[in-house]
Structures are given as C-alpha cells and as structure tokens.
Amino acid sequence: MMLNDNKNKYFGLLQNIHIDFALLLAILLLSTVGLFILYSASNQNLLTVENQLMHIAGAMMLMIFIAQVPPITLQRFAPWLYGIALFLLITVLITGHIGKGAQRWLNLGIIRIQPAEIMKLAIPMCLAWYYHREHLPITMKSILISVPLLLIPVIITAKQPDLSTAFLLLIAGISVLFLAGLGWRLISLFISILIFSLPLVWFVLHDYQRQRVITFLNPEHDPLGKGYHIIQSKIAIGSGGIFGKGWLNGTQSHLHFLPEHTTDFIFAVCGEEFGFVGSFLIILLYLLIVARGIYITLYAQDTFSRLVAGSITLTFFTSFFINMGMVTGILPVMGIPLPFISYGGSSMMTLMASFGILMSIQTHKKLITT
C-alpha cells in the first residue's frame, strides 16, 4: 500500500513539472551528438567541450524554467519583451561593442548580451500577442500595423551589420503573418516586390556581403581566397562517402584546411567523419524536433500559442536548413550556426528558451468541457 502511495506521489510530481519529454529527449540526443562532433572538430580540446557543456546546462535550466510559465503569462509579457529588446537594439547601434567589424554586443560589465538574439523570440511573441486580439484571418489594416513592428528591428540588426540574424528575424515575423492567414495574393505581391528590389538591395550590401553572393555563384573564381571556405567544406563532405572516415579521423578539420570548423562549418566535420549515413541520422533528429513542433502547433488551444509555436518551429527549420545548405554549397554563406551542435552560448540560450515556450504551450493545456 505504501509502495503504491509513493508511486502515485512520484507520478503526481512528474505531472506538475511542465516538461515535454518527447521534445526533451530529442534535444538531449542532438546536444550529446553535438558534443562528440565538437570534441573532434576542436582537435580534442576538452576546454571547448566543457564550455559548450556549460552553455547547454545553463540554457537547459532556462528552458525548464520558461516551460513552467503558463502561456497566458508569456502572452502578457510579450509586448514588454519586444519593447526591452528594441531599446537594447537601439542602444547597441549607438554604444555597442564592436568585434570583427560588427557592432552586435552590449557590454553590461558582468556579461555581454546580443539583443538581436532576444528579438528572435520578441518579434513572434509580440506579433502573436497582437493577432490574438484581432479577428483572423488578418486584414490589410492589421498588416500595416504589424509590418513596422517586424521591419524596424530587422533593419537595425542589418545595420550592425548582421544580415544572417536579420534574415532569421524576418522569417520569424513572416511565419506569424503566414500562420495568421496572410493570403497568397499578398504573399505573391511581397515576393514580387522583393524580386524587383534585388538590384537596389545589391547597392545597399556591404562589400563582403556582395562577395559572398559572387562566391556562391562561382566559388572556383577565387579558390585560394573567397571561395576557399566552401570548396574545402565540399571536399570534407565528399571525402566522407557513405559511412565516413570515423570519429576523430577527419583530416580537413584536424589539418586546419576547413575554416570555422567548430561553428558555422561544423556540419562538414560531421559529413567527413560520419558520412552520408551519419549526416542522415542527424538530419532525422532535426526533423523529429520539427515534427514535434508541428504537433504542438496544431494542437495549441489559442491563437497566441498556435502562432508562437508555429513561428518557433519554422524558424528552427530555417536555421538548420540554411546552415546545411551553405556548407554543402547550395546556398550562400550566411553565418548561421547549426542549432545544438555549433559552438556558442548566446544562440544556445535563445534556442533553449524557444523550446521552453513550446513545452509551456504543450503542457499547460486546459481541460475543455463540452
């Protein structure tokens, strides 16, 4: 009898902890695989792996904390988060820390923060908060109100310059508009405007950004200069074959032919050491997370939750798709890290926080009576 009581208390405790265990398991698997790949990519540098483990642990604590917050509380906080993030973005533009030619960081003494990372959550949450109060599908009036909320942080982020993050912010916002019922006629209009504005955009781009586009179109034009990164990346992936060279046996990264092998181009290390099969299994893990995100989106109980969950899922898919696309040469190099695998702290925090929101949406469902 006492054993049954303890068992009931144990299961009752688990029910009170708002964690989506299917999502948590997939994240843990992918993060663990990432640590093994990072260990090899960093030439068996334990300090790098330990730092990444600390990033994952801290970010996972943040994820679990956010998962305990009900969606209604997140909804109320959404416009405040957007306002704070926008203020920090403007502050960075004025007094931000400059590193590697970009002004993206805000030095607060104890820590440095990248406000654009906060905006990855603030934009979809704020737009979802707004459309939760409107009648859907969206109208032209509501679009005219929401577009400035999206474009202002995108433009500020692009001026840092951080074109890759600005692009993800744009995806995060547009996905909310799409899920809110943006008609195909308006989508076609926006695409047409984008296509016809490309010649103007070309003159606005920085020199290095133009060079990335030229390199994407013809990397062999400058094989020892601008095209070196992508050429070495494709060599690494191609040399892995079907089953790869084996863990710790990659040559492109270990002999320093492959640049940025612990961050942007870490998927090339995976392709070289684990081959097509290993890369496919990693992609499968990503798709399982996306599938879970889609499931949470479909069964969300209110407009705010549905729009935020859908935006987080689509932005996550875009992130790993673009990273793998640029490493394999089918997309221009944009500097977007591979989620859960590339070395980094700020992006990991944002990523885990977004999945904490997904868990909150999934586990705080109210019983609907009929």
Side-chain angles (χ1 to χ4, degrees), residues 342-362:
S342 291
Y343 180 81
S346 297
S347 58
M348 185 69 73
M349 284 288 183
T350 306
L351 195 60
M352 291 290 194
S354 66
F355 282 105
I357 294 173
L358 280 182
M359 290 185 181
S360 171
I361 292 170
Q362 174 62 15

PDB file of all heavy atoms in Angstrom, residues 342-362:
ATOM      1  N   SER A 342      26.775  23.625 -33.247  1.00  0.00           N
ATOM      2  CA  SER A 342      27.816  24.647 -33.344  1.00  0.00           C
ATOM      3  C   SER A 342      28.154  25.208 -31.969  1.00  0.00           C
ATOM      4  O   SER A 342      27.277  25.346 -31.102  1.00  0.00           O
ATOM      5  CB  SER A 342      27.358  25.791 -34.253  1.00  0.00           C
ATOM      6  OG  SER A 342      27.261  25.377 -35.593  1.00  0.00           O
ATOM      7  N   TYR A 343      29.416  25.562 -31.770  1.00  0.00           N
ATOM      8  CA  TYR A 343      29.865  26.134 -30.503  1.00  0.00           C
ATOM      9  C   TYR A 343      29.306  27.545 -30.349  1.00  0.00           C
ATOM     10  O   TYR A 343      29.338  28.348 -31.275  1.00  0.00           O
ATOM     11  CB  TYR A 343      31.394  26.177 -30.453  1.00  0.00           C
ATOM     12  CG  TYR A 343      31.940  26.755 -29.178  1.00  0.00           C
ATOM     13  CD1 TYR A 343      32.040  25.969 -28.032  1.00  0.00           C
ATOM     14  CD2 TYR A 343      32.354  28.077 -29.108  1.00  0.00           C
ATOM     15  CE1 TYR A 343      32.539  26.487 -26.846  1.00  0.00           C
ATOM     16  CE2 TYR A 343      32.857  28.609 -27.929  1.00  0.00           C
ATOM     17  CZ  TYR A 343      32.947  27.813 -26.801  1.00  0.00           C
ATOM     18  OH  TYR A 343      33.440  28.342 -25.636  1.00  0.00           O
ATOM     19  N   GLY A 344      28.785  27.847 -29.171  1.00  0.00           N
ATOM     20  CA  GLY A 344      28.269  29.184 -28.906  1.00  0.00           C
ATOM     21  C   GLY A 344      27.340  29.210 -27.716  1.00  0.00           C
ATOM     22  O   GLY A 344      26.713  28.197 -27.385  1.00  0.00           O
ATOM     23  N   GLY A 345      27.250  30.374 -27.064  1.00  0.00           N
ATOM     24  CA  GLY A 345      26.426  30.498 -25.874  1.00  0.00           C
ATOM     25  C   GLY A 345      25.130  31.257 -26.097  1.00  0.00           C
ATOM     26  O   GLY A 345      24.056  30.824 -25.678  1.00  0.00           O
ATOM     27  N   SER A 346      25.214  32.418 -26.773  1.00  0.00           N
ATOM     28  CA  SER A 346      24.022  33.262 -26.962  1.00  0.00           C
ATOM     29  C   SER A 346      22.949  32.557 -27.781  1.00  0.00           C
ATOM     30  O   SER A 346      21.766  32.552 -27.415  1.00  0.00           O
ATOM     31  CB  SER A 346      24.416  34.573 -27.654  1.00  0.00           C
ATOM     32  OG  SER A 346      25.299  35.318 -26.854  1.00  0.00           O
ATOM     33  N   SER A 347      23.350  31.962 -28.894  1.00  0.00           N
ATOM     34  CA  SER A 347      22.379  31.274 -29.736  1.00  0.00           C
ATOM     35  C   SER A 347      21.775  30.070 -29.027  1.00  0.00           C
ATOM     36  O   SER A 347      20.593  29.748 -29.201  1.00  0.00           O
ATOM     37  CB  SER A 347      23.029  30.834 -31.055  1.00  0.00           C
ATOM     38  OG  SER A 347      24.136  29.978 -30.806  1.00  0.00           O
ATOM     39  N   MET A 348      22.581  29.400 -28.184  1.00  0.00           N
ATOM     40  CA  MET A 348      22.078  28.250 -27.434  1.00  0.00           C
ATOM     41  C   MET A 348      21.011  28.687 -26.429  1.00  0.00           C
ATOM     42  O   MET A 348      19.987  28.006 -26.256  1.00  0.00           O
ATOM     43  CB  MET A 348      23.229  27.557 -26.709  1.00  0.00           C
ATOM     44  CG  MET A 348      22.842  26.276 -25.980  1.00  0.00           C
ATOM     45  SD  MET A 348      22.401  24.928 -27.087  1.00  0.00           S
ATOM     46  CE  MET A 348      24.032  24.487 -27.728  1.00  0.00           C
ATOM     47  N   MET A 349      21.231  29.820 -25.769  1.00  0.00           N
ATOM     48  CA  MET A 349      20.254  30.335 -24.816  1.00  0.00           C
ATOM     49  C   MET A 349      18.926  30.633 -25.502  1.00  0.00           C
ATOM     50  O   MET A 349      17.855  30.257 -25.017  1.00  0.00           O
ATOM     51  CB  MET A 349      20.803  31.601 -24.143  1.00  0.00           C
ATOM     52  CG  MET A 349      21.850  31.338 -23.090  1.00  0.00           C
ATOM     53  SD  MET A 349      21.116  30.604 -21.597  1.00  0.00           S
ATOM     54  CE  MET A 349      22.562  30.518 -20.539  1.00  0.00           C
ATOM     55  N   THR A 350      18.997  31.323 -26.641  1.00  0.00           N
ATOM     56  CA  THR A 350      17.783  31.668 -27.379  1.00  0.00           C
ATOM     57  C   THR A 350      17.053  30.416 -27.847  1.00  0.00           C
ATOM     58  O   THR A 350      15.823  30.318 -27.775  1.00  0.00           O
ATOM     59  CB  THR A 350      18.126  32.546 -28.590  1.00  0.00           C
ATOM     60  OG1 THR A 350      18.883  33.675 -28.161  1.00  0.00           O
ATOM     61  CG2 THR A 350      16.871  33.020 -29.291  1.00  0.00           C
ATOM     62  N   LEU A 351      17.835  29.464 -28.322  1.00  0.00           N
ATOM     63  CA  LEU A 351      17.271  28.217 -28.837  1.00  0.00           C
ATOM     64  C   LEU A 351      16.521  27.459 -27.745  1.00  0.00           C
ATOM     65  O   LEU A 351      15.366  27.043 -27.917  1.00  0.00           O
ATOM     66  CB  LEU A 351      18.396  27.356 -29.403  1.00  0.00           C
ATOM     67  CG  LEU A 351      18.037  26.172 -30.290  1.00  0.00           C
ATOM     68  CD1 LEU A 351      17.270  26.638 -31.514  1.00  0.00           C
ATOM     69  CD2 LEU A 351      19.306  25.445 -30.708  1.00  0.00           C
ATOM     70  N   MET A 352      17.169  27.275 -26.601  1.00  0.00           N
ATOM     71  CA  MET A 352      16.538  26.553 -25.495  1.00  0.00           C
ATOM     72  C   MET A 352      15.334  27.311 -24.947  1.00  0.00           C
ATOM     73  O   MET A 352      14.318  26.704 -24.576  1.00  0.00           O
ATOM     74  CB  MET A 352      17.563  26.304 -24.393  1.00  0.00           C
ATOM     75  CG  MET A 352      18.651  25.313 -24.741  1.00  0.00           C
ATOM     76  SD  MET A 352      18.034  23.620 -24.863  1.00  0.00           S
ATOM     77  CE  MET A 352      19.595  22.710 -24.852  1.00  0.00           C
ATOM     78  N   ALA A 353      15.430  28.632 -24.907  1.00  0.00           N
ATOM     79  CA  ALA A 353      14.297  29.434 -24.435  1.00  0.00           C
ATOM     80  C   ALA A 353      13.087  29.236 -25.342  1.00  0.00           C
ATOM     81  O   ALA A 353      11.948  29.125 -24.871  1.00  0.00           O
ATOM     82  CB  ALA A 353      14.684  30.907 -24.376  1.00  0.00           C
ATOM     83  N   SER A 354      13.333  29.180 -26.660  1.00  0.00           N
ATOM     84  CA  SER A 354      12.225  28.979 -27.597  1.00  0.00           C
ATOM     85  C   SER A 354      11.570  27.622 -27.397  1.00  0.00           C
ATOM     86  O   SER A 354      10.328  27.501 -27.465  1.00  0.00           O
ATOM     87  CB  SER A 354      12.727  29.127 -29.036  1.00  0.00           C
ATOM     88  OG  SER A 354      13.640  28.104 -29.377  1.00  0.00           O
ATOM     89  N   PHE A 355      12.369  26.597 -27.112  1.00  0.00           N
ATOM     90  CA  PHE A 355      11.779  25.276 -26.879  1.00  0.00           C
ATOM     91  C   PHE A 355      11.121  25.196 -25.503  1.00  0.00           C
ATOM     92  O   PHE A 355      10.221  24.382 -25.297  1.00  0.00           O
ATOM     93  CB  PHE A 355      12.841  24.194 -27.055  1.00  0.00           C
ATOM     94  CG  PHE A 355      13.123  23.898 -28.499  1.00  0.00           C
ATOM     95  CD1 PHE A 355      14.275  24.357 -29.101  1.00  0.00           C
ATOM     96  CD2 PHE A 355      12.212  23.196 -29.258  1.00  0.00           C
ATOM     97  CE1 PHE A 355      14.513  24.117 -30.445  1.00  0.00           C
ATOM     98  CE2 PHE A 355      12.439  22.944 -30.597  1.00  0.00           C
ATOM     99  CZ  PHE A 355      13.589  23.411 -31.199  1.00  0.00           C
ATOM    100  N   GLY A 356      11.557  26.040 -24.568  1.00  0.00           N
ATOM    101  CA  GLY A 356      10.846  26.159 -23.302  1.00  0.00           C
ATOM    102  C   GLY A 356       9.435  26.689 -23.515  1.00  0.00           C
ATOM    103  O   GLY A 356       8.474  26.241 -22.877  1.00  0.00           O
ATOM    104  N   ILE A 357       9.292  27.640 -24.456  1.00  0.00           N
ATOM    105  CA  ILE A 357       7.968  28.167 -24.800  1.00  0.00           C
ATOM    106  C   ILE A 357       7.107  27.068 -25.423  1.00  0.00           C
ATOM    107  O   ILE A 357       5.915  26.938 -25.102  1.00  0.00           O
ATOM    108  CB  ILE A 357       8.112  29.363 -25.760  1.00  0.00           C
ATOM    109  CG1 ILE A 357       8.805  30.528 -25.050  1.00  0.00           C
ATOM    110  CG2 ILE A 357       6.745  29.799 -26.281  1.00  0.00           C
ATOM    111  CD1 ILE A 357       9.142  31.694 -25.964  1.00  0.00           C
ATOM    112  N   LEU A 358       7.697  26.264 -26.302  1.00  0.00           N
ATOM    113  CA  LEU A 358       6.958  25.145 -26.898  1.00  0.00           C
ATOM    114  C   LEU A 358       6.464  24.176 -25.823  1.00  0.00           C
ATOM    115  O   LEU A 358       5.321  23.709 -25.859  1.00  0.00           O
ATOM    116  CB  LEU A 358       7.838  24.393 -27.895  1.00  0.00           C
ATOM    117  CG  LEU A 358       8.000  24.988 -29.298  1.00  0.00           C
ATOM    118  CD1 LEU A 358       8.875  24.081 -30.147  1.00  0.00           C
ATOM    119  CD2 LEU A 358       6.661  25.196 -29.972  1.00  0.00           C
ATOM    120  N   MET A 359       7.347  23.868 -24.864  1.00  0.00           N
ATOM    121  CA  MET A 359       6.955  22.960 -23.784  1.00  0.00           C
ATOM    122  C   MET A 359       5.839  23.554 -22.940  1.00  0.00           C
ATOM    123  O   MET A 359       4.918  22.840 -22.511  1.00  0.00           O
ATOM    124  CB  MET A 359       8.165  22.644 -22.909  1.00  0.00           C
ATOM    125  CG  MET A 359       9.201  21.773 -23.578  1.00  0.00           C
ATOM    126  SD  MET A 359      10.521  21.321 -22.419  1.00  0.00           S
ATOM    127  CE  MET A 359      11.578  20.332 -23.484  1.00  0.00           C
ATOM    128  N   SER A 360       5.911  24.861 -22.693  1.00  0.00           N
ATOM    129  CA  SER A 360       4.862  25.523 -21.919  1.00  0.00           C
ATOM    130  C   SER A 360       3.527  25.418 -22.630  1.00  0.00           C
ATOM    131  O   SER A 360       2.492  25.118 -22.005  1.00  0.00           O
ATOM    132  CB  SER A 360       5.237  27.000 -21.711  1.00  0.00           C
ATOM    133  OG  SER A 360       4.161  27.719 -21.151  1.00  0.00           O
ATOM    134  N   ILE A 361       3.530  25.648 -23.941  1.00  0.00           N
ATOM    135  CA  ILE A 361       2.299  25.573 -24.724  1.00  0.00           C
ATOM    136  C   ILE A 361       1.708  24.164 -24.703  1.00  0.00           C
ATOM    137  O   ILE A 361       0.491  23.979 -24.582  1.00  0.00           O
ATOM    138  CB  ILE A 361       2.570  26.027 -26.175  1.00  0.00           C
ATOM    139  CG1 ILE A 361       2.892  27.532 -26.198  1.00  0.00           C
ATOM    140  CG2 ILE A 361       1.393  25.708 -27.095  1.00  0.00           C
ATOM    141  CD1 ILE A 361       3.414  28.032 -27.523  1.00  0.00           C
ATOM    142  N   GLN A 362       2.580  23.161 -24.777  1.00  0.00           N
ATOM    143  CA  GLN A 362       2.124  21.775 -24.827  1.00  0.00           C
ATOM    144  C   GLN A 362       1.612  21.272 -23.482  1.00  0.00           C
ATOM    145  O   GLN A 362       0.651  20.503 -23.416  1.00  0.00           O
ATOM    146  CB  GLN A 362       3.265  20.875 -25.322  1.00  0.00           C
ATOM    147  CG  GLN A 362       2.979  19.389 -25.295  1.00  0.00           C
ATOM    148  CD  GLN A 362       1.825  18.973 -26.200  1.00  0.00           C
ATOM    149  OE1 GLN A 362       1.399  19.741 -27.068  1.00  0.00           O
ATOM    150  NE2 GLN A 362       1.329  17.760 -26.013  1.00  0.00           N
TER     151      GLN A 362
END
